[in-house]
Structure formats: structure tokens, C-alpha cells
Amino acid sequence: MYMVMMSAILSMMIAILLIVVCSVISKKSILDREKSSPFECGFDPKSSSRMPFSIQFFLIAVLFLIFDIEIVIILPMILTLKTSATSTWILTMMLFTFILIAGLFHEWNNGMLEWAN
């Protein structure tokens, strides 16, 4: 028990020491104008480096990621068909599919799938 306590205290002391050292080191670089400005071949940028992008593109990208993750969730369900009860498996698949369709219908009603306004 004593070794566990000493290990925990030592690891917390190392973490706190690293946090303090990193915060002291970073204070110098916050005030540096050149490091905080965008780099464009050594010259001042011709336009703003923070260009706005289309919110529709962002929503479509998020929608793609959501459906991509859902496909990853669906694929192992096919493998579990052999080992689980058929009625439980069908109920789970129907519930999951219903949630997907309900989410898609909600996004469609809110106009998130409209690319052009």
C-alpha cells in the first residue's frame, strides 16, 4: 500500500512540475508578434488568414461523419447474428434503424440537407 501511495504522489508531483515548467516557458512565446501571425513565405499576408467557410459544408461534413460512424456500428451486428437470439437481434437492428431514420427525418425537416437556400 505504501508503494502505491508513493507512486501516486510521485506521478502527481511530476505532472505538476511539468505543468509549471510548460506555463513558464509559454509566457515568453505569447508576446511574440511574429509567432502569432500567419506565415506566408516571410511576407505579410495579402488577405485575412481566417477565411470564413460555408456552414452548409460543415453540416454536410458532420452528417457524413455521423453516418460513417453508424456504418461502423452496424457492421459488427452482422457478426453477432450467429451468437445472439434472433428476436433480440431483430429488435436491436429495428431500433437502431428507426433511430437513424428519425434523425435523418429531423435533419430533413430542419433544412440541414438543403445545400442552396
Side-chain angles (χ1 to χ4, degrees), residues 43-60:
F43 300 105
D44 289 332
K46 294 182 179 182
S47 63
S48 174
S49 63
R50 305 285 186 233
M51 298 289 292
F53 62 95
S54 172
I55 194 70
Q56 282 93 5
F57 174 76
F58 176 74
L59 290 175
I60 294 295

Side-chain angles (χ1 to χ4, degrees), residues 7 16 22 31 33 41 48 68 79 88-89 91-92 114:
S7 297
I16 290 171
C22 288
L31 304 175
R33 179 183 170 275
C41 300
S48 174
D68 197 34
L79 297 174
T88 306
W89 187 85
L91 182 66
T92 305
E114 301 285 329

